[in-house]
């Protein structure tokens, strides 16, 4: 298990009863904290984002980094043009990294193997925006990339959206009513058939239940409509 919390990134072993952990990255400065993690199991690397805060705990910048799964070879990858990255996703076969920046109000993608070394090049990585605000009310939070698609949660509109990995053809998978909460974090099952969603209360911002959305990848659903079911309902203070 890779666990990022506050200023520490840990790798926790499930092979022993003691669940020993290795501290991969730790920041002493409390003004920097982890916000998202994505794992590349093929190349044994972990990608993660951090956010910098001022004395009033307001975000003043963000950076995307990577580190070996053993804690070695730490790198700072992208910081230009980032404000507050809260979601990361990897397309490992194509070596693409996606991120959701809620302050910039857009989702961006960069090619990890494409470098820009020309004079006057603004960003070191080949990158572009693939989803952005049209009315000033876009706040992407969590993002998943798989099977040629990306999925994200928008906590401004309380929706889950699917789009092609290259951008475009946005399709609203689910819109939450005021009484059903708002989608926060998502993850896709390995077979692509189930999207798991952590839903939080709109007023208290406490996660209240996990639901499953079936048939979210068109090529795997065989024409079936999406189906939603509550998977786990938490006690009142489970994630407070």
């Amino acid at each position: 298990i890779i666990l990022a919390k506050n200023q520490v990134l840990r790798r926790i072993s499930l092979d022993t009863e003691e669940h020993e952990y290795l501290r991969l990255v730790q920041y002493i400065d409390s003004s920097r904290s982890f916000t998202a993690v994505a794992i590349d199991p093929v190349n044994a690397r972990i990608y993660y984002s951090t956010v910098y805060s001022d004395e009033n705990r307001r975000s003043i910048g963000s950076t995307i980094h990577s580190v070996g799964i053993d804690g070695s070879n730490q790198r700072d990858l992208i910081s230009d043009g980032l404000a507050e990255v809260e979601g990361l996703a990897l397309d490992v076969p194509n070596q693409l990294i996606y991120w959701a920046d809620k302050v910039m109000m857009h989702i961006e993608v960069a090619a990890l193997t494409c470098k820009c070394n020309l004079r006057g090049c603004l960003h070191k990585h080949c990158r572009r925006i693939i989803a952005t605000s049209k009315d000033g009310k876009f706040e992407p939070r969590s993002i998943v990339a798989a099977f040629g698609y990306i999925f994200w949660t928008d906590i401004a509109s309380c929706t889950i959206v699917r789009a092609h990995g290259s951008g475009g053809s946005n399709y609203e998978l689910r819109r939450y009513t005021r009484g059903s909460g708002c989608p926060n974090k998502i993850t896709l099952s390995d077979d692509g058939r189930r999207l798991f969603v952590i839903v939080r209360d709109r007023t208290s911002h406490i996660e209240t239940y996990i639901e499953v959305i079936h048939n979210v990848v068109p090529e795997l659903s065989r024409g079936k409509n999406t189906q939603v079911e509550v998977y786990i309902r938490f006690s009142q203070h489970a994630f407070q």
Side-chain angles (χ1 to χ4, degrees):
I1 296 176
I2 305 300
L3 175 64
K5 185 177 182 182
N6 297 331
Q7 286 77 45
V8 182
L9 179 70
R10 296 182 175 94
R11 189 188 74 196
I12 303 174
S13 173
L14 299 180
D15 295 334
T16 63
E17 294 182 358
E18 293 79 13
H19 301 314
E20 297 174 350
Y21 73 86
L22 173 65
R23 188 172 292 145
L24 300 173
V25 180
Q26 181 172 9
Y27 295 110
I28 304 301
D29 186 358
S30 61
S31 65
R32 179 187 289 192
S33 57
F34 293 93
T35 54
V37 174
I39 303 171
D40 179 352
V42 175
N43 297 296
R45 291 198 68 78
I46 301 168
Y47 293 80
Y48 61 95
S49 59
T50 57
V51 64
Y52 308 87
S53 304
D54 62 16
E55 62 273 10
N56 296 315
R57 302 196 64 80
R58 292 176 298 191
S59 173
I60 55 175
S62 198
T63 301
I64 296 173
H65 323 253
S66 74
V67 66
I69 205 163
D70 60 354
S72 65
N73 196 17
Q74 182 182 355
R75 304 172 189 165
D76 294 342
L77 297 179
I78 302 171
S79 59
D80 293 340
L82 305 186
E84 189 170 350
V85 174
E86 288 220 355
L88 279 182
L90 287 173
D91 177 348
V92 175
N94 295 306
Q95 284 295 281
L96 299 174
I97 185 167
Y98 297 84
W99 64 90
D101 193 319
K102 72 173 188 177
V103 173
M104 300 297 288
M105 291 190 291
H106 65 223
I107 293 172
E108 202 165 349
V109 60
L112 294 171
T113 56
C114 177
K115 304 292 183 181
C116 181
N117 299 316
L118 301 177
R119 182 183 297 273
C121 190
L122 179 60
H123 303 299
K124 294 181 180 180
H125 287 80
C126 302
R127 51 191 276 196
R128 66 188 181 92
I129 296 170
I130 58 173
T132 188
S133 170
K134 294 181 179 179
D135 56 6
K137 297 180 180 180
F138 186 46
E139 195 171 337
R141 172 62 61 86
S142 183
I143 185 169
V144 172
F147 299 95
Y149 293 95
I150 55 172
F151 304 82
W152 69 81
T153 61
D154 178 4
I155 60 174
S157 61
C158 288
T159 57
I160 299 175
V161 178
R162 181 187 68 216
H164 289 302
S166 57
S169 300
N170 293 9
Y171 175 75
E172 188 177 289
L173 275 177
R174 178 148 162 73
R175 178 176 290 270
Y176 292 74
T177 62
R178 180 165 296 277
S180 60
C182 198
N184 191 16
K185 299 293 185 178
I186 55 174
T187 189
L188 189 67
S189 62
D190 289 341
D191 61 7
R193 300 185 183 279
R194 295 174 296 169
L195 187 72
F196 293 86
V197 186
I198 297 181
V199 183
R200 68 179 188 177
D201 183 86
R202 295 196 187 201
T203 303
S204 66
H205 304 300
I206 296 174
E207 280 76 10
T208 55
Y209 65 94
I210 296 176
E211 70 176 18
V212 182
I213 306 177
H214 300 270
N215 307 320
V216 295
V217 177
E219 290 79 0
L220 301 176
S221 62
R222 298 179 180 179
K224 296 179 180 178
N225 294 326
T226 56
Q227 297 178 334
V228 181
E229 64 173 323
V230 174
Y231 189 65
I232 298 174
R233 191 173 294 278
F234 303 128
S235 60
Q236 184 176 1
H237 302 292
F239 281 78
Q240 192 169 11

